[in-house]
Amino acid sequence: MSDDCIFCQIIDGDIPARTVYETDETLAFLDANPLAEGHTLVIPKTHARQLQDLDDETATAVYETLHRLVPVVEGTVGADGSNVAFNNGPAAGQEIPHVHGHIIPRFEGDGGRPVHAVAGSPPELSEEDLDTIAGEIKSNA
Ligand code: AMP
Ligand code: ZN
């Protein structure tokens, strides 16, 4: 629990939310400023700022809840698909410093963009650059 965290306050019932699903480890509720009908957030019940701050068990629980809810949310609002994403860290646009996965329903012709649209200016990388990056990530994983 982080006293000044709005999502921890939702977990504690101090701030209202439109809860749609709950487990021992996770809570899912409607985004208060939905980008689409059914826009849902999935959070761990323990405070953690970013994905890398979650322990394995909690990360699995968050994914299980996303996995369960994606078809439910899509089906409920009659969506044709969804974007499922985390803004991980302020540089990536994370405003609430408590891990949350977005389920954003998508509809054919809704004018939205794919997740590829989040990058500002994609770098130009050679095959060698890509090999180097892949090798470094692989050795660090
Ligand atoms: P992010 O930019 O990934 O940190 O997104 C935070 C999301 O939380 C935004 O989509 C907000 O609309 C949403 N949000 C902020 N406060 C609340 C709240 N009290 N209840 C539900 N959603 C909220
Ligand atoms: Zn929190």
Side-chain angles (χ1 to χ4, degrees):
M1 167 73 184
S2 173
D3 284 341
D4 55 357
C5 173
I6 196 166
F7 286 175
C8 282
Q9 291 172 42
I10 286 175
I11 292 162
D12 285 354
D14 295 335
I15 291 179
R18 293 182 176 86
T19 298
V20 298
Y21 184 71
E22 187 171 4
T23 69
D24 288 346
E25 292 162 300
T26 65
L27 184 71
F29 52 92
L30 292 187
D31 194 296
N33 305 288
L35 295 175
E37 192 179 346
H39 183 171
T40 297
L41 302 176
V42 173
I43 67 173
K45 286 185 174 175
T46 49
H47 182 80
R49 294 178 72 88
Q50 296 183 214
L51 284 169
Q52 51 267 53
D53 300 325
L54 295 178
D55 59 41
D56 289 353
E57 183 188 340
T58 309
T60 299
V62 168
Y63 186 77
E64 284 176 348
T65 295
L66 284 167
H67 184 242
R68 179 185 179 108
L69 286 184
V70 163
V72 174
V73 170
E74 287 188 13
T76 300
V77 300
D80 301 305
S82 57
N83 291 107
V84 181
F86 293 79
N87 292 326
N88 198 45
Q94 183 180 2
E95 294 184 352
I96 306 286
H98 182 129
V99 173
H100 51 282
H102 293 258
I103 302 173
I104 305 171
R106 295 296 303 274
F107 302 85
E108 297 289 350
D110 65 11
R113 315 256 323 261
V115 96
H116 297 71
V118 299
S121 43
E124 290 188 18
L125 297 170
S126 67
E127 294 296 320
E128 291 73 24
D129 293 333
L130 293 170
D131 288 343
T132 300
I133 294 165
E136 289 176 353
I137 293 174
K138 190 173 182 181
S139 67
N140 289 331

